[in-house]
Amino acid sequence: MRCGVGHGRLRRVLSGVWRSIAVWAASSVTLLVLAAFLPDFRLESAGGDSFTRVALTAAAGAGVFGLLSSLVWPLLVRLLLLVPALVLGLLVFFLNGSLLLLALRLNPSGHGQAALETAVVVAAAMSAVASATGGALAVRDDDAYRRRLSRLADRRHGRRRDGGQAGPATPGVVFVQLDGVGYEVLRTAVDKGLMPTVASWLDPRDGQGPSHRLTSWRTDWSSQTGASQLGILHGSNHDIPAFRWYEKDRHEVMVSNRPTSAAELQRRAVARTGDGGLLTTDGASRGNLFSGGAGQLALVLSVSARRGKENRSRAGYFAYFRDPANAVRTAMSFVAEVGREMGQSLRARCAKRRPRVGRGGLYPLVRAFATVVERDVVVAAVIGDMLAGRTAVYADLVAYDEVAHHSGPHSRDAEKVLRTLDRSLALLAQVAEHAPRPYRIVVLSDHGQSPGETFRSRYGLSLGDLVRAGCGLPVPRKAESTHSGTEARAAVRAALRRPVEEGGEKHRPAPRRSEPLVLASGNLGLVSFPDVPHRMSKEEIDRRHPALLSTLAHHPGIGFLLVRSEEHGGVVLGAHGAEIPVDRLDDETGPLTGFGPGAADAVRRTHSFPHTADIMVNSWCDPAEGEVLAFEEQIGSHGGLGGAQGRPFLLSPTTLSAPARDGSELVGAERIHHVFRRWLRECAVPGTPLTARVGGTEATPAPAAEAENERAA
């Protein structure tokens, strides 16, 4: 046995030496070729300029550059974690070029001359060639391929203490959230051939049955990531009426993708359920709004506001960018994506496409961050988790959601993003073959998106303007722009260490004025009167502003309103004087007609929340086309009822039990949480319950509670 182990170790050493020599040779040839073709880049040998001596100089220079990249680069990146992540991405080229200039100066066989901008190009080319050569050679060796992939993520906490390679025999589960991809969008993408990996899972060509099943589920009224992901990861999205809302008792505007708000929402969910979250047992949370109770975190918003050693979320940047080849590749893709967005935006303006929203300012950078940086870092972190053999991983990829908001959910721009997401799924499936334990890959979305122009572009005024007019207040000539509700912008703000949304952390209205506060969440609007400490009733609003409710209810861009009623407890108001008590609501008649099945139950549930706004406003919806009118500047929106935004998908392996074992429809994010809990138990060792750590003690989720939840749904 010892002889076999020694032979295997020697084989790995020899294989590693061979790959190092091959990469060194490829880098040396690259350096020679670039020196021959770039006029302001020269290699000079101390013993003369013969080809042999110059080749030796190139080999020595490539070797020094490789050593510096291996030894110095990780230290530079760790130091640069003190600066914003986006700035780090922009510094990648400069740092790599500077390392090359240093390598040329330290070259023992000669020296080279190059301008800084030329050094940047040469260093990028050498890093790319070295990465491609090493990757091509490593793929042929399973052990080397596993080690190469593991370097994409921080493995410090994932190494086995005994140094062994074998992992548990029981499967782990990787949950990949494709943010904003609706059920019908996924089906269409598969039919068009845009997502061949997903297509192969659903309809394999090898004669065997499908490896995955595709089902749809229904969100709550608040069809957005904050409500859905909190319910999925922590089992409760109680009292989340929208993406952003005003809490009168705390005098604060809560925003789902603000780090401080996300931390508070997670705290409330844990307190309500008495459970740490879905990922408390050897879990990892990557790119999410909430941690799910995971011990391993990267780019998690609810912890990004912390300072000091407790915040490990930014470590995901270091884990990825410490490899100079990764840094250069991502930086180049980032620049290309910025240029691609500018070109697509210009073509849309020239073609006068409608509907259309502004895509200037910082948006090209935000889009590139979402579609390139965030995707690469999160996928790399998940790869590291799988190679470390972790039990449960939940990751969010926000690329499609960001692009669809500005280009439309069915646009060519969004379809191109779906292609890249499918390639990420293919990579994860490939890595699963090299992981130390089997893995079940579950793919899901948290909501869909509904197309349609903005409320302002159709009617020339914002929801805030309409509310002010109904209150008899002056309407400003130039309306203020609405803040974006996308997860990518929140991630960028956290990366730039500007986690608080513009406008201040807390809303403190002027004491002498009682103007309404109007907040937008996609096609869902919330109107609150901050000077009234309780949720106002319809009767109180009518006494204070007699024309407000009728102005809103009769506007053609408004679908329905929800207000508290002293007589009926709560009522839904619509056009033509419709006024239906919430306990008599149904989906087929009245103001909720056309908003889809389950709309009445969703409205009733939101009405019961303590922090529901004084007036909840849902925009008009075209049931035939599925179009809505966004109160934000988005042509693909979500957050309320109407269209495809409330119908996300769930793609699960057939080796796991059916999501709804009784054949019923999956309703609500909390139901999805219980389904995922069941799947994790199915993957665990028989007879071993999945435990959760809450407040330092172990708690076992109750199967009876899960069964009761599924029966109720």
Side-chain angles (χ1 to χ4, degrees):
M1 178 64 71
R2 290 182 178 178
C3 181
V5 172
H7 178 73
R9 183 175 302 171
L10 177 62
R11 179 179 176 275
R12 289 195 296 271
V13 170
L14 293 177
S15 178
V17 171
W18 155 243
R19 283 193 304 276
S20 299
I21 294 174
V23 171
W24 185 10
S27 299
S28 301
V29 172
T30 302
L31 202 59
L32 275 175
V33 172
L34 293 175
F37 285 95
L38 295 178
D40 53 352
F41 176 47
R42 297 180 58 189
L43 288 176
E44 299 177 353
S45 172
D49 289 338
S50 67
F51 177 79
T52 302
R53 293 184 179 276
V54 173
L56 290 175
T57 300
V64 175
F65 178 69
L67 288 175
L68 289 176
S69 297
S70 301
L71 301 176
V72 179
W73 181 270
L75 298 177
L76 290 175
V77 174
R78 185 174 292 278
L79 291 175
L80 286 171
L81 282 180
L82 300 175
V83 305
L86 283 180
V87 177
L88 171 61
L90 297 176
L91 287 176
V92 163
F93 292 115
F94 172 77
L95 292 174
N96 216 30
S98 299
L99 283 181
L100 178 63
L101 291 177
L102 180 60
L104 294 177
R105 286 187 175 274
L106 297 177
N107 190 341
S109 298
H111 66 277
Q113 296 179 355
L116 178 59
E117 58 272 17
T118 304
V120 167
V121 175
V122 174
M126 292 182 64
S127 296
V129 169
S131 177
T133 304
L137 293 174
V139 165
R140 302 182 62 181
D141 186 327
D142 285 351
D143 291 336
Y145 186 58
R146 182 184 297 116
R147 289 195 298 272
R148 175 171 176 78
L149 290 176
S150 69
R151 286 198 298 271
L152 294 175
D154 190 358
R155 296 287 305 279
R156 291 174 301 169
H157 301 288
R159 295 189 181 99
R160 289 170 52 90
R161 293 182 179 180
D162 59 4
Q165 297 295 324
T170 56
V173 184
V174 175
F175 302 98
V176 182
Q177 178 179 301
L178 304 185
D179 206 298
V181 180
Y183 175 81
E184 293 299 336
V185 166
L186 186 75
R187 291 274 358 160
T188 301
V190 169
D191 293 341
K192 286 185 175 182
L194 301 176
M195 305 186 76
T197 302
V198 175
S200 67
W201 290 349
L202 294 174
D203 186 18
R205 300 181 182 275
D206 56 7
Q208 300 180 357
S211 63
H212 284 65
R213 63 171 69 86
L214 178 63
T215 56
S216 65
W217 62 282
R218 190 168 1 116
T219 67
D220 305 286
W221 186 359
S222 181
S223 54
Q224 46 89 18
T225 304
S228 293
Q229 198 177 86
L230 187 65
I232 293 171
L233 288 178
H234 288 279
S236 173
N237 58 6
H238 175 76
D239 203 19
I240 311 290
F243 178 80
R244 48 171 68 85
W245 67 96
Y246 180 67
E247 296 191 349
K248 295 185 175 184
D249 53 340
R250 304 172 71 234
H251 305 288
E252 182 175 351
V253 174
M254 298 290 287
V255 185
S256 297
N257 68 355
R258 177 188 292 161
T260 52
S261 297
E264 172 62 16
L265 295 177
Q266 180 173 312
R267 185 197 66 77
R268 294 179 187 179
V270 171
R272 182 175 178 83
T273 62
D275 181 83
L278 185 72
L279 309 175
T280 50
T281 303
D282 188 29
S285 180
R286 311 301 189 184
N288 300 312
L289 295 183
F290 310 102
S291 73
Q296 299 298 317
L297 307 172
L299 315 187
V300 175
L301 208 66
S302 63
V303 302
S304 64
R306 300 177 186 173
R307 293 292 182 262
K309 296 181 179 180
E310 291 184 356
N311 182 7
R312 289 166 291 165
S313 184
R314 284 173 58 84
Y317 288 111
F318 171 74
Y320 184 80
F321 285 113
R322 69 179 178 183
D323 186 334
N326 296 335
V328 170
R329 182 176 61 251
T330 297
M332 294 177 66
S333 299
F334 182 92
V335 173
E337 186 69 15
V338 170
R340 184 178 298 111
E341 162 55 28
M342 290 180 174
Q344 292 172 348
S345 177
L346 179 61
R347 286 195 296 270
R349 289 199 304 270
C350 292
K352 298 182 178 179
R353 294 176 187 165
R354 297 291 179 183
R356 190 175 74 247
V357 294
R359 292 161 61 173
L362 293 177
Y363 171 68
L365 299 177
V366 174
R367 167 174 165 167
F369 180 88
T371 57
V372 175
V373 179
E374 195 267 355
R375 179 202 64 202
D376 287 353
V377 172
V378 168
V379 170
V382 174
I383 288 174
D385 294 327
M386 296 172 71
L387 295 173
R390 296 198 173 99
T391 301
V393 183
Y394 194 103
D396 187 11
L397 300 176
V398 302
Y400 172 86
D401 190 62
E402 179 63 34
V403 173
H405 276 309
H406 295 80
S407 301
H410 306 294
S411 64
R412 292 180 61 186
D413 299 357
E415 288 182 344
K416 291 180 180 179
V417 175
L418 292 174
R419 290 182 183 273
T420 64
L421 293 176
D422 186 80
R423 288 197 291 269
S424 296
L425 295 178
L427 176 59
L428 295 179
Q430 185 182 18
V431 171
E433 299 176 0
H434 300 267
R437 70 188 302 172
Y439 273 98
R440 308 287 185 254
I441 299 179
V442 176
V443 188
L444 72 150
S445 58
D446 49 345
H447 55 78
Q449 284 204 19
S450 297
E453 61 183 312
T454 69
F455 187 87
R456 177 183 292 169
S457 65
R458 174 169 292 192
Y459 299 108
L461 78 170
S462 67
L463 177 63
D465 297 335
L466 184 62
V467 170
R468 292 180 63 85
C471 293
L473 298 171
V475 178
R477 294 182 178 180
K478 184 177 180 180
E480 297 181 358
S481 60
T482 57
H483 298 305
S484 171
T486 62
E487 288 72 29
R489 288 183 182 270
V492 170
R493 282 198 298 271
L496 291 173
R497 297 201 169 183
R498 295 178 57 195
V500 178
E501 192 178 49
E502 292 87 347
E505 177 68 16
K506 294 189 177 183
H507 174 84
R508 297 185 181 278
R512 295 184 180 181
R513 306 185 68 180
S514 57
E515 296 185 0
L517 175 63
V518 182
L519 301 172
S521 297
N523 75 317
L524 178 63
L526 292 85
V527 183
S528 299
F529 294 91
D531 61 322
V532 179
H534 58 270
R535 183 182 174 191
M536 295 184 70
S537 66
K538 175 182 179 297
E539 292 79 4
E540 289 176 308
I541 297 173
D542 283 339
R543 287 194 294 268
R544 185 171 185 171
H545 300 293
L548 176 58
L549 293 177
S550 60
T551 297
L552 294 174
H554 288 86
H555 192 279
I558 303 298
F560 64 88
L561 314 176
L562 169 66
V563 293
R564 186 174 71 87
S565 169
E566 296 175 1
E567 180 180 358
H568 302 290
V571 292
V572 167
L573 308 179
H576 312 297
E579 182 174 334
I580 311 296
V582 292
D583 57 358
R584 301 180 194 170
L585 284 175
D586 63 73
D587 302 330
E588 305 297 331
T589 60
L592 299 186
T593 303
F595 284 93
D601 290 336
V603 170
R604 273 190 286 267
R605 181 172 185 261
T606 301
H607 175 66
S608 68
F609 291 165
H611 290 111
T612 297
D614 294 330
I615 308 174
M616 300 286 290
V617 185
N618 203 100
S619 85
W620 162 90
C621 170
D622 180 356
E625 301 295 331
E627 294 185 355
V628 300
L629 299 175
F631 298 126
E632 298 182 89
E633 293 304 298
Q634 300 170 346
I635 59 174
S637 66
H638 58 88
L641 289 172
Q645 61 184 315
R647 197 182 182 208
F649 74 88
L650 179 58
L651 183 67
S652 58
T654 54
T655 52
L656 299 174
S657 60
R661 290 178 291 191
D662 56 358
S664 62
E665 184 180 13
L666 296 170
V667 179
E670 294 180 0
R671 175 95 182 269
I672 301 299
H673 172 85
H674 289 283
V675 172
F676 288 1
R677 282 282 194 187
R678 186 214 314 154
W679 287 345
L680 289 175
R681 283 199 297 275
E682 290 175 1
C683 293
V685 177
T688 303
L690 183 69
T691 59
R693 182 169 296 277
V694 184
T697 60
E698 297 289 341
T700 304
E706 175 195 335
E708 181 180 351
N709 180 281
E710 293 197 10
R711 287 195 300 270

